[in-house]
């Protein structure tokens, strides 16, 4: 059996997105900035994609700026808020400890440039508390940036309430919605979102393309200087084949959202029930306020990386809670932010299932994880210490 359970890392492109991409490469190869008809037809195609994307999140087409993906959109949103804030003498930014690195690393850079950053605590269920946000807002706060849904533990933040608080206090609100767009209903008007980042490859579109929603009236600042594309806010000839494919993928995702989410949540809960039977394990993040496709567990007495390798040998592609792939053996900052200690965070597994997952596949995953965890524990020195009572168990 081959099961791809790492859709939070990236998704497979849909047939429709691929077809659109090839068709655009073949038939709309003109430069949208050129004045002859081939260029103008490409321009029309570009604007059609922009309108389709805008409609899905209830924005106006001119509020959508195409970027190279979620990371660029996050960077541009934060830079914009910082520059606009500084002009008014506002140098304070509020975020959370479990944001994506595209946010956290940009915040670090802003700190080096004189901004002050408050990271809200995330709490054990992986959700911020709006009362704490209200308290953290100051006279000099220029931005609140809180992700819509977390990429590791799948928890969904109270975005609507955050939007309301920010709007009433006159603070810009940006949300990294990369895990949410195409998976959860998003309405930027109703949720009072000022800026929102999205990435095509997280909803069955192509990699290397995404968009930033910027509410009308906010003077977006450039990251990339050059030509006058994207109303002068993002230079560089537009990646039209990818943009058209992104629009196709998003339309498809929006049309099937309700049905897909219901199915995935059912399989997700089946997985959670099955994996909960493993002794000394725990689900990470709230069981209800979470993405329909996300399952994240910690297992005491093992290391996440070894689970991944053994699961891969059984045909299952998943992800772990540490950033070991980057060379460092640091446990995930997200798991640490919800209070998991190093040892426990190390033995974590993220399964992010796709729309086509079946209950049979879920059963195979449960059986495989049970076997792999038991096998790894059988020769783990940490597990021996725990069972011999030399160290107390942390997870029940
Ligand atoms: C994947 C991801 C990003 C980065 O998006 P790219 O398009 O890969 O740059 C940012 N934020 C979150 C929450 C993500 O899951």
């Amino acid at each position: 059996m081959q099961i791809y359970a790492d859709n939070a890392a990236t998704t497979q492109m849909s047939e429709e997105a691929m077809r659109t991409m090839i068709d655009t490469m073949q038939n709309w190869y003109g430069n949208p900035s050129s004045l002859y008809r081939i260029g103008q037809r490409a321009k029309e195609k570009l604007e059609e994609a922009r309108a389709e994307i805008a409609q899905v999140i209830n924005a106006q087409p001119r509020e959508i700026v195409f970027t190279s993906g979620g990371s660029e959109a996050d960077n541009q949103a934060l830079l914009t808020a910082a520059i606009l804030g500084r002009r008014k003498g506002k140098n304070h930014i509020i975020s959370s400890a479990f944001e994506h690195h595209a946010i956290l690393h940009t915040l670090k850079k802003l700190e080096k440039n004189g901004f002050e950053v408050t990271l809200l605590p995330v709490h054990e269920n992986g959700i911020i508390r709006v009362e704490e946000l209200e308290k953290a807002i100051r006279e000099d706060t220029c931005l609140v940036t809180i992700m819509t849904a977390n990429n590791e533990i799948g928890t969904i933040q109270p975005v609507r309430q955050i939007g309301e608080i920010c709007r009433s206090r006159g603070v810009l609100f940006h949300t990294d919605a990369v895990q949410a767009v195409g998976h959860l209903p998003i309405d930027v008007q109703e949720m009072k979102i000022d800026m929102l980042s999205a990435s095509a490859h997280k909803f069955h579109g192509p990699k290397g393309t995404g968009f930033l929603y910027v509410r009308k009236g906010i003077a977006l600042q450039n990251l990339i200087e050059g030509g006058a594309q994207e109303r002068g806010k993002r230079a560089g000839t537009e990646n039209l084949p990818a943009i058209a494919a992104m629009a196709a993928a998003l339309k498809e995702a929006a049309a099937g959202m309700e049905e897909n989410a219901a199915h995935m949540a059912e399989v997700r809960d089946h997985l959670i029930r099955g994996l909960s039977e493993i002794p000394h394990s725990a689900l990470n993040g709230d069981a209800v306020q979470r993405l329909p496709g996300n399952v994240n567990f910690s297992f005491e007495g093992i290391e996440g990386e070894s689970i991944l390798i053994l699961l891969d040998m059984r045909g299952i592609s998943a992800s772990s809670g540490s950033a070991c792939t980057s060379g460092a053996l640091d446990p995930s900052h997200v798991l640490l932010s919800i209070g998991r200690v190093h040892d426990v965070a190390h033995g974590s597994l993220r399964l992010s299932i796709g729309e086509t997952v079946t209950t049979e596949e879920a059963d195979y995953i449960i059986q495989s994880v049970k076997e792999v965890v038991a096998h790894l524990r059988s020769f783990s020195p940490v597990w021996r210490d725990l069972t011999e009572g030399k160290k107390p168990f942390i997870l029940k």
Side-chain angles (χ1 to χ4, degrees):
M1 215 182 275
Q2 192 67 47
I3 306 169
Y4 182 72
D6 203 14
N7 286 276
T10 196
T11 59
Q12 188 181 16
M13 271 179 80
S14 74
E15 292 287 336
E16 177 64 14
M18 275 192 260
R19 203 192 51 72
T20 304
M21 193 148 173
I22 290 168
D23 178 58
T24 310
M25 285 192 272
Q26 284 173 333
N27 299 309
W28 278 271
Y29 58 84
N31 187 324
S33 300
S34 301
L35 289 178
Y36 40 76
R37 268 173 296 171
I38 289 175
Q40 287 311 295
R41 281 189 63 220
K43 174 84 176 158
E44 279 166 27
K45 185 89 177 159
L46 180 70
E47 294 315 316
E48 194 181 293
R50 198 187 307 279
E52 285 172 356
I53 288 168
Q55 200 191 357
V56 172
I57 60 165
N58 195 22
Q60 293 171 23
R62 56 181 293 170
E63 295 174 316
I64 303 295
V65 175
F66 295 121
T67 67
S68 67
S71 301
E72 185 187 327
D74 282 344
N75 275 257
Q76 193 168 10
L78 266 50
L79 179 87
T80 293
I83 291 176
L84 298 178
R86 177 153 287 173
R87 279 185 199 155
K88 296 183 190 162
K90 295 181 171 187
N91 286 306
H92 179 233
I93 298 171
I94 299 171
S95 188
S96 77
F98 77 164
E99 297 295 313
H100 191 271
H101 283 131
I103 298 288
L104 292 177
H105 291 174
T106 307
L107 290 175
K108 276 268 169 293
K109 201 153 130 185
L110 291 172
E111 275 184 321
K112 284 196 189 118
N113 285 281
F115 284 85
E116 196 187 325
V117 176
T118 300
L119 296 182
L120 297 175
V122 182
H123 301 286
E124 205 190 322
N125 66 354
I127 298 174
I128 66 131
R129 299 202 180 134
V130 288
E131 311 85 71
E132 289 175 338
L133 167 66
E134 279 188 295
K135 270 189 227 139
I137 295 178
R138 312 189 314 210
E139 279 299 302
D140 62 341
T141 305
C142 61
L143 171 73
V144 170
T145 175
I146 304 279
M147 69 202 316
T148 306
N150 185 268
N151 48 304
E152 286 189 37
I153 56 175
T155 48
I156 300 168
Q157 304 303 315
V159 172
R160 196 178 306 259
Q161 287 160 278
I162 298 171
E164 251 158 44
I165 293 167
C166 292
R167 191 64 57 88
S168 73
R169 302 282 292 269
V171 178
L172 283 181
F173 172 39
H174 165 259
T175 187
D176 174 339
V178 172
Q179 290 291 330
V181 170
H183 302 279
L184 300 173
I186 300 281
D187 183 325
V188 291
Q189 307 294 334
E190 213 186 308
M191 294 169 154
K192 299 192 167 59
I193 295 167
D194 294 312
M195 292 188 276
L196 171 145
S197 308
S199 176
H201 76 102
K202 303 289 174 77
F203 53 79
H204 303 286
K207 292 166 190 43
T209 196
F211 66 88
L212 177 63
Y213 155 78
V214 190
R215 190 168 57 79
K216 202 174 59 198
I218 297 170
L220 189 65
Q221 305 293 307
N222 293 43
L223 276 187
I224 297 174
E225 303 290 346
Q229 293 90 354
E230 300 298 288
R231 307 162 73 89
K233 300 305 181 195
R234 204 285 186 179
T237 303
E238 302 85 346
N239 186 353
L240 186 56
I243 290 168
M246 166 163 67
L250 188 55
K251 245 170 67 175
E252 217 181 356
M257 188 181 293
E258 216 172 308
E259 201 178 324
N260 287 333
H263 167 68
M264 285 157 78
E266 204 170 297
V267 178
R268 173 198 68 192
D269 293 340
H270 183 72
L271 278 166
I272 292 175
R273 277 192 300 274
L275 296 178
S276 298
E277 290 168 7
I278 297 175
H280 305 288
S281 71
L283 176 72
N284 291 311
D286 196 89
V288 179
Q289 287 301 319
R290 74 189 295 132
L291 289 168
N294 178 289
V295 175
N296 189 313
F297 263 81
S298 290
F299 306 105
E300 226 172 333
I302 54 166
E303 272 184 23
E305 284 58 49
S306 2
I307 316 184
L308 296 191
I309 294 158
L310 294 179
L311 285 180
D312 189 27
M313 285 165 67
R314 287 165 165 78
I316 301 167
S317 319
S319 155
S320 81
S322 50
C324 167
T325 39
S326 63
L329 253 169
D330 291 337
S332 136
H333 70 284
V334 174
L335 294 174
L336 295 179
S337 80
I338 60 167
R340 290 280 180 237
V341 298
H342 274 66
D343 273 7
V344 171
H346 263 307
S348 298
L349 173 71
R350 176 187 72 186
L351 298 159
S352 41
I353 52 176
E355 289 80 356
T356 56
V357 69
T358 63
T359 315
E360 290 69 41
E361 287 173 332
D363 285 333
Y364 177 74
I365 293 176
I366 294 167
Q367 193 50 38
S368 303
V369 174
K370 281 181 175 173
E371 285 167 13
V372 164
V373 169
H375 173 67
L376 290 172
R377 280 174 172 173
S378 72
F379 55 81
S380 153
V382 180
W383 181 252
R384 200 184 50 221
D385 285 353
L386 290 165
T387 49
E388 288 175 359
K390 288 183 189 152
K391 267 168 81 174
F393 278 108
I394 292 162
L395 306 178
K396 271 194 282 180

